[in-house]
Amino acid sequence: MKITKPGLSLVISLSVSLLVSPIASSESDRVELDWKRDPNAAPPRGEVSAPAAPELPSEMTVAPAANTPQPNASPERRPATSVDELESLAARAGEEAAIEAARERGWRQYWRAGFARGVASALDDSRLGAWDREEGRRYGRRDLRAGVLGAGLANEVAKDIADRDAEARVRDQFMDIGREPRRDRTDTNAPPPIATARELSGPWAVLPVLEQVFETYPFSKAPRLSREGRRALEDWNINPSLFARNDRGASPYDARWKDPAIAYDNWRDRQRPGSPWSRFTSVQREQFRQVFFDQFLATLGSLDLRPTYAGWRIGFDDGWRYGAAVQAEWAYRQGYAEGFDIGVRESALLAFPFAYTHAFDSAYDAHFDDWLRHPHPDVLRVRLSDESDDGVFEPGERVFVDSEVVNYGGGAGTFQLSASGRELDGPVQTSIKFSGRGRAAAEQPFVLRIDDRVKPRTGLSVTVAIGDAHVDTPLFVSRPLAIDGEPTIDADRLAGRVTLTFAVTNTSRRDVPGTLRVEPQTGSRAIQSDELGVIAAGRSRQSTITFEGMRPLTLISGQARWTATIARGETLDDVREIGIAPVVADLRNSDLLDFMLTLAQGTRVNRNDVQEARALMLERLRADWSRAAAADGNPYKRDYESESTETALGALVRATKGRLRSFSSPQVFDGLDSEVSALTEDLPGAHPLLRKWMKKLAKRVG
């Protein structure tokens, strides 16, 4: 193999020596990177300049003090000592404390807030880190471990692909039983093998973590930090990673710097024994505190705080430079990890052809020798036939299994040929002896028997196995005659008449006679049958059976049931349970309302029929409610105002309005309005207007 690229010899030597290189298959197996930088690489000139600091947020500014008079001590609390001296001392202390707070603590807080904003702005600045990312990608590709890992990856992937390809190549040669195999590793029709992107997918390097970049670059490494900023950092215990783009919930700004209570505590803690403060009584101290507070706030509100606010701008500039340094390192590490993965893939792709050729030759020889020296039996063909030879496998019938087997390998051997299956007795087996490459067959077919308890229309399978090879052949258990599909039902519910139409199919290879019987499961109708005569093999015949005088409510409610059977003499071939669909929830069908109107016009009615019909009507109105709730607008209101029949309730109102006295049996509808009104309270959903108009419409029933 000719080497034309620099460094290829090192990669190939590594790929040969590392037969099984540790491949990063999970996150814990990835390579820890050192994030080394090229000492000779220097960023280009024209560094991105820091943007201007944004305006100080209004909520961080100090409101000007109101013009309020200075407080005086109450007359009853005036001590014997000079009140003017105490107030003067307190006012001077409050004024000095306000100036100190603005100059030191306030400036520090604005600097910290600006610093945090600057870091966040730098991390969001898309102009930063582009050069560092490219530099990291370039240096990561050159990482020596990427070449080593890629070479090992090429060996491992090539070994799997080559073994699969070599085995398939040898198999194709030996499975041509008509020719003698010869060693031939080449396949002119096969494209040159390549490693796929899926097989070389990464990542292979441990991905960088932004928090670790902050640990590497603490505040002490912030570049060109202002002198005031270094003082502001001295006692600032905060994790700089809080300023990262995904975590900015905590604000570094502390507004307590302008709290007079804190300033007062600081002033008081600095007082020494013998000072005027130490000689004050508790009343004088309280008076002093009040004056201090007022003077502190008044002074703070009247100060020119522009020098204090300048801390925001200075902090922003310092933070932006620090954030830019973090961003550069973060981008470099991201690029390094990307470059490392690119280097692994490039190295693997470079070493793959050589590794594949070496692995294929070795695997081909191993597989060829195995097929040449050992037997490789397989099942060529399986044929099933039933005992009666009518093409239908029936419960309890014997099944004959004819099979042909082959030995593709060059070695001799004796193997057990077996046949088995679920719901079949067995397994049964016999010995097959192979002298070399060639076909063989069992002397007698296997005989299996289907269990008597297997129901028709059951799918089974027969498994024929020899050595490690097996073939599953489907076996469908049935009877010669079968009711094909669902019957057609034609019903006149009000007349109590139902016509059932069946299609009966002969699935066997012989002509057989059949009788169709249909037995009602509801009511007292007699069994009806139809002698179909002889049905030709593979043909179908249609049969129609009609039932008269059925109870209309049984058909309307969907309670009617039948059992249909098809038989050959005394042998039952197929059974089918049949039911009629209810029409109560079919809002397009008016059979229930028509039945109730017919019932009300009769002179003698069955009380049970009335109760059942009214219960079905309430069930129908529940379905009517679901449709009305899903419709646009208020259909109950439209039916009420225009006397239309958009809803089932509207149709009921229109059919009964003003006719109650003309009915021979008004009890069919009498009081139904109250039952419908009560139903509205039990309906699901929160639809107050829909419920309101349904109640109003219900009052018109009858």
Side-chain angles (χ1 to χ4, degrees), residues 28 72 94 104 175 271 301 317 367 369 398 403 424 454 675:
S28 60
N72 294 318
E104 297 182 7
M175 289 187 73
Q271 303 308 304
D317 293 341
H367 286 296
D369 291 341
R398 293 194 301 171
S403 58
L424 303 170
V454 176
E675 294 182 22

Side-chain angles (χ1 to χ4, degrees), residues 3 10 25 52 67 76 115 160 186 238 276 328 341 399 410 412 429 461 498 519 523 534 561 590 613 622 627 664 672:
I3 299 174
L10 172 62
S25 57
N67 295 325
E76 61 275 16
F115 186 88
D160 293 339
T186 61
I238 191 170
D341 291 342
V399 179
Q429 60 184 17
S461 65
V498 175
E519 178 182 0
V534 176
R561 293 288 185 272
S590 62
R622 283 183 176 273
R627 184 180 68 171
S664 300
L672 185 58

Side-chain angles (χ1 to χ4, degrees), residues 488-511:
T488 302
I489 302 176
D490 184 15
D492 186 344
R493 294 175 177 82
L494 298 183
R497 181 173 60 254
V498 175
T499 300
L500 304 175
T501 302
F502 299 87
V504 179
T505 301
N506 179 8
T507 62
S508 72
R509 293 194 293 261
R510 295 178 182 175
D511 299 345

Side-chain angles (χ1 to χ4, degrees), residues 11 81 135 151 197 302 368 604 635:
V11 173
T81 58
E135 179 66 10
S302 62
F368 193 93
R604 299 179 62 183

Side-chain angles (χ1 to χ4, degrees), residues 423-645:
E423 308 293 350
L424 303 170
D425 59 356
V428 292
Q429 60 184 17
T430 187
S431 294
I432 299 292
K433 185 176 182 179
F434 291 108
S435 59
R437 287 168 53 79
R439 294 181 174 88
E443 295 182 358
Q444 298 291 333
F446 291 129
V447 180
L448 300 172
R449 183 179 179 276
I450 303 173
D451 195 296
D452 295 322
R453 295 169 295 181
V454 176
K455 296 181 179 180
R457 300 179 183 274
T458 299
L460 303 178
S461 65
V462 175
T463 301
V464 176
I466 184 170
D468 295 330
H470 71 276
V471 170
D472 294 327
T473 304
L475 173 65
F476 186 70
V477 180
S478 63
R479 297 286 190 183
L481 295 181
I483 299 174
D484 192 9
E486 295 295 330
T488 302
I489 302 176
D490 184 15
D492 186 344
R493 294 175 177 82
L494 298 183
R497 181 173 60 254
V498 175
T499 300
L500 304 175
T501 302
F502 299 87
V504 179
T505 301
N506 179 8
T507 62
S508 72
R509 293 194 293 261
R510 295 178 182 175
D511 299 345
V512 294
T515 301
L516 177 68
R517 291 164 51 91
V518 182
E519 178 182 0
Q521 301 300 316
T522 53
S524 58
R525 300 293 94 196
I527 299 174
Q528 296 197 36
S529 61
D530 184 8
E531 296 292 340
L532 302 177
V534 176
I535 304 176
R539 305 299 294 273
S540 296
R541 182 165 296 178
Q542 195 174 76
S543 175
T544 300
I545 293 179
T546 301
F547 290 91
E548 301 276 0
M550 298 192 68
R551 183 168 175 260
L553 281 177
T554 302
L555 298 174
I556 291 173
S557 62
Q559 297 177 5
R561 293 288 185 272
W562 299 268
T563 300
T565 60
I566 184 70
R568 292 172 292 133
E570 298 298 326
T571 303
L572 189 65
D573 276 14
D574 199 4
V575 180
R576 188 68 57 87
E577 298 294 332
I578 306 163
I580 189 170
V583 298
V584 174
D586 184 1
L587 300 177
R588 296 171 298 179
N589 191 298
S590 62
D591 283 353
L592 176 59
L593 180 57
D594 294 341
F595 174 79
M596 294 181 71
L597 292 172
T598 303
L599 197 65
Q601 292 169 358
T603 56
R604 299 179 62 183
V605 297
N606 186 296
R607 185 172 60 181
N608 291 335
D609 287 350
V610 173
Q611 292 178 350
E612 184 177 351
R614 290 166 70 112
L616 290 174
M617 178 56 71
L618 293 178
E619 184 179 345
R620 181 179 179 83
L621 294 182
R622 283 183 176 273
D624 185 43
W625 166 267
S626 299
R627 184 180 68 171
D632 294 332
N634 193 329
Y636 293 117
K637 180 181 179 182
R638 293 192 291 268
D639 282 357
Y640 182 87
E641 293 178 343
S642 61
E643 297 185 356
S644 58
T645 58

